Amino acid sequence: MLKKFELYVIKLFLKKFLIISSVFFSLAIILNILEEINFFKNLEVSFYTPLVMSLLNTPSVLFEIFPFIFLISTQFFFLNMINGGELETLKIHGISNIRIITILLISSFMIGIVLITFFYHFSSKLKFLHIDFKNSYSSDNKYLAAVNDNGIWIKDEIGEKIYIINAFSIDDVYLKNVIITEFDSDFNMIQIIKSPQVNISNKEWVIADSTISKKNITRKGPKNINIITHFDLEKINSMFSNLSSQNLIQLFKLDNEYRQLNYSSIEIRLHLLKLFSYPFYLSIMTVFTSVIMLNIKRNKTIIFHMITGIFLSVIIYFLYDLFNLLGANNKIPLMASVWFPLFILTVLTSVGLVRINEK
């Protein structure tokens, strides 16, 4: 059984975590509603639609900012302990600061596992519903792209023509082993174009060494055929990049499919690494903040602590984001891009832990 003081510390930390999470959840809903209202302002939807859409999107937003929620929750935990004289009381009874930090560390790690196992799965489902619903109202809904076991599939509409495009893989700026089926607006097939590679560096595709099948007659096409589409490499990449709507199983499956297609899976692997490092990230943020709070003079105001928390959050966010960006662009190994910022925080925290019991 946990000792009473351990239960007290855990309950107080959870209470602060839930309160701060609720505050950020409310703020995120308000900001999301404004964004959704702007999106739906020229569309005929019910009054409640922006609110529902905001509720669907907010959990994934909350998941992104949990590390900073832990930072602020830890600040308020120690403010409560300091102002109530509980730290001094625990010290008198032989409970060291290291012992308290250890309890917070284990609690944060366990919460992180729960967030990855359950909350992320829940938020990804809601994010998928959010994206799917918004796509149904988007002017780009008739332009679709997807990846499955049969390769890359693209549906495009240009004027009175509809194109269904299937490619085996992507290599640099080329779609490989491409079949383009052309239909009229009533979905009557016009022709089928096959090509070993199509240049998609811009929205005017260049189809090389094609063969054209029309009315059961197959002939050799021109050396190059140009067609105008709504897609280029950048747009196709962006359509596959919203990974927060995929749960862990879907991410592993997507990573495997991308590898089979020779399509870059760096972003997926980076996303997975960030998820697996998440409990460690939350734990380090908690311990880092604990050290800061125990080293700050006790007579500082709440406003001072809040400003300190925001300042630290911004610095850590940019540090973490910078390394992730370097990893996504192959400037440094993916492992380093995720774990090195956490290593830096761990080193700084370790230095601060020296003589922490004397605080």
Side-chain angles (χ1 to χ4, degrees):
M1 295 291 291
L2 289 173
K3 294 180 181 179
K4 285 186 178 180
F5 90 90
E6 292 175 329
L7 283 173
Y8 174 76
V9 169
I10 293 170
K11 286 180 179 179
L12 180 60
F13 182 68
L14 284 175
K15 179 182 177 182
K16 298 302 179 183
F17 169 69
L18 292 174
I19 291 172
I20 300 300
S21 295
S22 299
V23 171
F24 275 90
F25 185 81
S26 301
L27 290 173
I29 286 178
I30 293 170
L31 293 175
N32 272 318
I33 284 178
L34 296 175
E35 183 180 337
E36 300 299 341
I37 289 174
N38 185 59
F39 179 85
F40 289 107
K41 63 182 179 182
N42 296 320
L43 300 171
E44 293 184 9
V45 295
S46 69
F47 175 77
Y48 299 103
T49 299
L51 175 60
V52 172
M53 295 301 292
S54 179
L55 288 171
L56 290 175
N57 190 50
T58 298
S60 64
V61 174
L62 199 65
F63 187 84
E64 294 293 325
I65 61 175
F66 268 137
F68 311 110
I69 290 175
F70 271 74
L71 187 152
I72 295 173
S73 299
T74 306
Q75 282 188 305
F76 276 90
F77 168 85
F78 277 101
L79 282 174
N80 193 110
M81 295 282 284
I82 292 168
N83 293 336
E86 291 156 319
L87 275 183
E88 299 300 328
T89 301
L90 290 174
K91 188 176 290 186
I92 291 171
H93 287 83
I95 309 301
S96 65
N97 290 335
I98 286 289
R99 186 79 179 275
I100 296 171
I101 292 174
T102 302
I103 296 170
L104 295 180
L105 169 67
I106 296 171
S107 299
S108 299
F109 190 82
M110 296 305 296
I111 295 171
I113 291 175
V114 171
L115 291 176
I116 287 295
T117 307
F118 299 104
F119 187 87
Y120 179 76
H121 182 81
F122 169 73
S123 68
S124 66
K125 289 289 185 184
L126 295 185
K127 183 69 174 180
F128 177 82
L129 293 173
H130 175 263
I131 293 172
D132 190 52
F133 187 83
K134 285 187 78 168
N135 279 343
S136 67
Y137 283 94
S138 173
S139 59
D140 286 342
N141 188 44
K142 58 185 179 180
Y143 318 130
L144 305 173
V147 172
N148 60 28
D149 292 336
N150 296 316
I152 299 163
W153 291 88
I154 297 171
K155 173 179 174 283
D156 199 2
E157 294 185 25
I158 303 292
E160 298 297 318
K161 294 181 180 180
I162 300 170
Y163 295 97
I164 303 295
I165 302 153
N166 176 225
F168 178 77
S169 64
I170 292 181
D171 184 9
D172 194 20
V173 297
Y174 296 99
L175 289 178
K176 294 291 188 177
N177 297 329
V178 184
I179 300 175
I180 302 173
T181 307
E182 184 181 328
F183 299 88
D184 62 21
S185 57
D186 297 320
F187 267 95
N188 297 309
M189 191 172 70
I190 299 173
Q191 62 182 1
I192 299 174
I193 303 172
K194 295 182 180 180
S195 171
Q197 71 176 29
V198 177
N199 188 315
I200 58 169
S201 56
N202 56 59
K203 293 180 180 179
E204 184 176 355
W205 290 10
V206 180
I207 305 170
D209 301 322
S210 62
T211 57
I212 301 173
S213 299
K214 188 174 183 179
K215 295 181 179 179
N216 295 322
I217 298 174
T218 301
R219 61 181 177 82
K220 183 73 174 176
K223 185 175 182 179
N224 290 316
I225 299 175
N226 291 24
I227 63 170
I228 304 296
T229 73
H230 292 97
F231 291 89
D232 56 14
L233 182 63
E234 182 179 355
K235 183 168 183 177
I236 291 173
N237 285 339
S238 68
M239 294 189 77
F240 297 153
S241 64
N242 200 322
L243 301 176
S244 60
S245 63
Q246 308 284 320
N247 62 39
L248 286 171
I249 295 173
Q250 291 170 327
L251 286 168
F252 278 115
K253 183 179 178 182
L254 197 62
D255 181 45
N256 184 55
E257 290 172 348
Y258 276 25
R259 289 172 186 266
Q260 291 177 355
L261 295 169
N262 197 34
Y263 188 73
S264 174
S265 62
I266 288 177
E267 289 191 10
I268 300 173
R269 283 179 283 144
L270 178 61
H271 190 70
L272 284 168
L273 282 171
K274 288 167 67 176
L275 290 177
F276 288 126
S277 68
Y278 202 69
F280 297 96
Y281 188 12
L282 299 180
S283 303
I284 292 169
M285 288 292 281
T286 299
V287 177
F288 178 74
T289 311
S290 300
V291 170
I292 296 296
M293 291 299 294
L294 290 170
N295 280 280
I296 290 178
K297 292 182 179 179
R298 303 291 171 86
N299 60 349
K300 298 295 183 181
T301 64
I302 292 178
I303 296 296
F304 174 83
H305 288 96
M306 287 300 298
I307 293 174
T308 303
I310 293 170
F311 179 71
L312 290 173
S313 297
V314 171
I315 291 176
I316 294 169
Y317 172 81
F318 279 109
L319 174 69
Y320 198 65
D321 192 56
L322 173 63
F323 277 91
N324 288 171
L325 188 61
L326 291 173
N329 289 310
N330 279 322
K331 302 296 184 183
I332 59 175
L334 285 181
M335 279 287 187
S337 72
V338 172
W339 289 103
F340 192 68
L342 301 184
F343 174 74
I344 293 174
L345 278 177
T346 302
V347 171
L348 293 175
T349 302
S350 300
V351 172
L353 284 172
V354 176
R355 301 174 66 181
I356 197 70
N357 286 328
E358 298 177 10
K359 302 298 179 180

